[in-house]
Amino acid sequence: MKYTQLGRTGLKVSRLVLGTMNFGPQTDEPTSHGILDAALDAGVNFVDTANVYGWGENKGRTEEIIGTWFAQGGERRDRTVLATKMYGNMGADGQAWPNHDKLSALNIRRAVDASLKRLQTDHIDLYQFHHVDRDTPFEEIWQAIEALVQQGKILYAGSSNFPGYKIAQANETAARHGRVGLVSEQCIYNLVERRAEMEVVPAAREYGLGVIPWSPLHGGLLGGALRKEREGSTGRSASGRTAEALADPALRSKVEAYEELVAKHGLEPGEVGLAWLLAQPGVTGPIVGPRTRDQLDSALRAIDLDLTPELLSSLDDIFPGPGPSPEAFAW
């Protein structure tokens, strides 16, 4: 397993992040525990979740599954770098209460205590803001975070789905008050969706944040979607966002060219998509959300896959990025 440091921290994390969004809604507890054990045995020490995972009436269920896994002992918690997120209202759908969502000091304090209880741990290594809160000043947010750090409940704070200017605003505010600020950013980033290269990734690199891409295969589009379509797959790639994307002739043509290119090199599409991200400057590690052990094994193989300069160039030809800033902003 390959490791790197998480942004401006002393934490050593695996170059693959185990996402747990499917634990509970699609993957039952015993299977989820098996995936967590297999990942840890393979050297994946970075586990990401969120308080809302489980969704609907089962919000918090995913954290509970991780908590019962930790409770089994065997140094599972000590060997894991644990990341979770907060922002969304934890009440049942349609039962939103004031101050039960977003990034107020009150909700931050309430949310971290609830997550610690579900996760059956005394601290969270990386506590992340799931979305931007345009109503709460960063002075209040950092005051609340500093209190949690002093109490030993969290070690570091990170962001998710922040635009570049909010990363800058958050860290400039933190610096004025002598605080560490954000150490990581979770953003959507993959071969199909490369807009993060315009502002988010440059801002993260400038401020020393680790970049943790979510949806690295764009909802399965880069995981061999057309091949699965031909095989009559009934999985996620056959419906939802992937099916809608493939209905776009221009994008379908790009995916077809991608799968043909990958096949010519004797490689698997999903593994190439992950390996491409691992080759991008500033990327700590992509978040993979396996629903089965086979999906985890495929993701693990991507870590040791070194793409040739020729293949990387061909991938850029199919899925060109926006280009460097500020040129990328020119009309």
Side-chain angles (χ1 to χ4, degrees):
M1 176 58 62
K2 297 178 181 178
Y3 296 90
T4 187
Q5 283 193 224
L6 177 62
R8 298 171 290 110
T9 78
L11 290 176
K12 301 294 193 299
V13 295
S14 50
R15 295 223 61 201
L16 199 68
V17 184
L18 184 66
T20 60
M21 183 184 294
N22 294 314
F23 293 179
Q26 298 188 46
T27 307
D28 62 25
E29 183 168 321
T31 304
S32 299
H33 285 179
I35 291 172
L36 285 160
D37 279 331
L40 194 59
D41 289 344
V44 177
N45 72 338
F46 198 0
V47 174
D48 176 75
T49 190
N51 61 354
V52 294
Y53 290 173
W55 312 111
E57 296 181 355
N58 295 311
K59 292 175 183 176
R61 178 61 183 140
T62 304
E63 287 189 332
E64 290 175 350
I65 289 173
I66 296 171
T68 55
W69 179 67
F70 285 148
Q72 295 177 31
E75 299 185 329
R76 286 175 171 83
R77 179 64 186 95
D78 289 342
R79 295 166 61 193
T80 300
V81 176
L82 175 63
T84 192
K85 299 182 284 291
M86 60 80 60
Y87 177 92
N89 194 294
M90 290 298 289
D93 288 349
Q95 296 183 11
W97 290 91
N99 300 313
H100 277 68
D101 64 0
K102 299 188 178 180
L103 304 181
S104 69
L106 176 60
N107 192 46
I108 288 174
R109 185 175 72 171
R110 174 187 291 119
V112 75
D113 286 340
S115 285
L116 289 170
K117 183 177 181 180
R118 287 188 292 266
L119 290 163
Q120 298 193 47
T121 186
D122 64 353
H123 76 283
I124 294 162
D125 301 302
L126 178 63
Y127 200 50
Q128 301 161 110
F129 313 132
H130 212 157
H131 298 281
V132 169
D133 181 355
R134 292 181 170 82
D135 297 325
T136 305
F138 277 112
E139 285 82 0
E140 176 179 342
I141 293 170
W142 289 129
Q143 185 178 47
I145 291 298
E146 184 65 18
L148 298 181
V149 171
Q150 294 300 320
Q151 293 165 10
K153 293 181 179 180
I154 70 169
L155 298 183
Y156 301 101
S159 58
S160 177
N161 303 307
F162 272 35
Y165 85 95
K166 280 294 180 181
I167 292 173
Q169 187 180 53
N171 275 25
E172 291 296 333
T173 303
R176 286 198 300 272
H177 296 276
R179 297 185 173 123
V180 174
L182 302 172
V183 302
S184 64
E185 159 63 15
Q186 273 193 34
C187 56
I188 184 168
Y189 185 25
N190 54 59
L191 269 166
V192 176
E193 177 51 81
R194 296 180 60 173
R195 284 177 292 179
E197 294 174 358
M198 296 176 70
E199 288 188 56
V200 175
V201 173
R205 296 184 70 189
E206 181 70 22
Y207 285 97
L209 277 63
V211 175
I212 308 170
W214 60 269
S215 194
L217 301 182
H218 207 64
L221 192 68
L222 298 170
L226 289 176
R227 184 178 68 188
K228 293 174 182 177
E229 183 183 76
R230 290 192 297 271
E231 295 171 350
S233 170
T234 57
R236 182 172 62 173
S237 296
S239 61
R241 187 172 68 180
T242 301
E244 292 177 6
L246 290 176
D248 178 352
L251 184 53
R252 187 182 184 90
S253 177
K254 288 177 180 288
V255 174
E256 184 176 13
Y258 170 69
E259 292 191 14
E260 289 176 355
L261 173 67
V262 169
K264 185 177 73 173
H265 287 265
L267 301 172
E268 286 294 317
E271 294 168 22
V272 170
L274 294 175
W276 177 84
L277 272 171
L278 288 166
Q280 302 311 302
V283 170
T284 298
I287 300 173
V288 297
R291 300 187 300 280
T292 66
R293 176 64 187 273
D294 287 344
Q295 291 178 345
L296 172 63
D297 290 341
S298 175
L300 289 170
R301 288 192 292 271
I303 297 174
D304 296 317
L305 183 59
D306 292 323
L307 305 182
T308 65
E310 174 195 5
L311 180 52
L312 288 169
S313 177
S314 297
L315 291 171
D316 279 336
D317 289 340
I318 298 172
F319 298 109
S325 299
E327 292 84 358
F329 291 90
W331 289 95

